């Protein structure tokens, strides 16, 4: 017969998040896991949003009203909600809330990925971030001014395109 170890040996029952408040002070906030009832509600809300997103069509109306969004954040943040709301700006508050939501609905690793990047796990960075990464940066923080060998922005004229017949002969 199989023996089961203690359940709490591998479950994470809290997140400790270090955040700089509006006053410039770094604080660590301990976010406890939600109650089972709130966890079920969070799962239901996020699975509805995921189904809408999977459809590829933006919903005609907001998925959550203002009050429902506040309730979602309150369920995720528990007894730290009021303190975080008072001590953080909107961007940080939302980032903390979404990090906790990823933790509740998936796992700590997914939440950590979101915390570090601000990107929904599995989503590619936006176009501007990809451009910055591909350009690289010099010491001044600007892209290099040397055109790439394939660039037509230099002083040489671009060569004329070859016809399909000429390309086929050279292959």
């Amino acid at each position: 017969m199989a023996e089961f170890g203690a359940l709490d040996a591998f479950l994470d029952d809290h997140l400790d998040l270090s955040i700089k408040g509006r006053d410039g002070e770094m604080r660590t906030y301990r976010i406890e896991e939600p109650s089972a009832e709130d966890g079920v509600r969070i799962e239901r809300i996020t699975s509805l949003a995921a189904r809408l997103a999977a459809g590829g069509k933006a919903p005609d109306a907001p998925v959550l009203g203002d009050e429902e969004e506040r309730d979602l954040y309150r369920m995720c943040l528990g007894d730290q909600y009021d303190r975080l709301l008072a001590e953080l700006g909107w961007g940080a508050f939302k980032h903390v809330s979404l990090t906790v939501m990823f933790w509740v609905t998936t796992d700590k690793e997914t939440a950590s990925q979101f915390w570090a990047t601000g990107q929904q796990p599995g989503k590619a960075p936006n176009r501007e971030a990809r451009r910055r990464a591909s350009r690289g940066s010099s010491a001044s923080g600007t892209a290099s001014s040397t055109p790439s060998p394939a660039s037509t922005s230099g002083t040489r004229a671009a060569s004329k395109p070859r016809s399909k017949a000429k390309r086929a002969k050279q292959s």
Side-chain angles (χ1 to χ4, degrees), residues 15 22 35 37 44 53 59 110 118 129 133 139 169:
L15 289 181
R22 285 189 288 206
S35 69
E37 183 178 345
R44 189 176 327 123
T110 303
K169 280 185 185 177

Side-chain angles (χ1 to χ4, degrees), residues 3-148:
E3 297 255 346
F4 291 93
L7 183 60
D8 64 349
F10 65 89
L11 288 179
D12 299 312
D13 62 353
H14 70 275
L15 289 181
D16 288 324
L17 303 174
S18 296
I19 309 157
K20 187 183 290 188
R22 285 189 288 206
D23 62 0
E25 293 292 319
M26 284 296 286
R27 293 181 184 84
T28 299
Y29 298 85
R30 177 166 280 208
I31 312 294
E32 301 289 337
E33 72 176 335
S35 69
E37 183 178 345
D38 283 347
V40 169
R41 289 180 64 207
I42 292 166
E43 285 278 347
R44 189 176 327 123
I45 291 166
T46 56
S47 65
L48 169 64
R51 282 195 306 269
L52 287 170
K57 181 182 170 215
D60 296 333
V63 176
L64 298 176
D66 290 345
E67 191 63 35
E68 292 167 316
E69 187 174 7
R70 278 191 292 276
D71 286 346
L72 174 62
Y73 293 158
R74 189 177 296 280
M75 285 185 289
C76 288
L77 300 174
D79 62 0
Q80 293 292 338
Y81 176 86
D82 290 325
R83 182 176 173 205
L84 288 162
L85 191 62
E87 295 176 0
L88 302 180
W90 168 243
F93 180 81
K94 184 174 181 181
H95 190 81
V96 169
S97 299
L98 293 176
T99 297
V100 174
M101 186 184 72
F102 280 119
W103 170 57
V104 169
T105 59
T106 56
D107 55 36
K108 201 172 207 172
E109 183 177 322
T110 303
S112 177
Q113 289 173 10
F114 179 80
W115 180 258
T117 65
Q119 298 288 323
Q120 183 175 344
K123 293 277 188 178
N126 67 31
R127 184 184 312 169
E128 183 57 33
R130 287 192 307 267
R131 276 194 211 125
R132 281 194 307 270
S134 69
R135 276 190 232 138
S137 60
S138 64
S140 66
T142 60
S144 170
S145 61
T146 307
S148 70

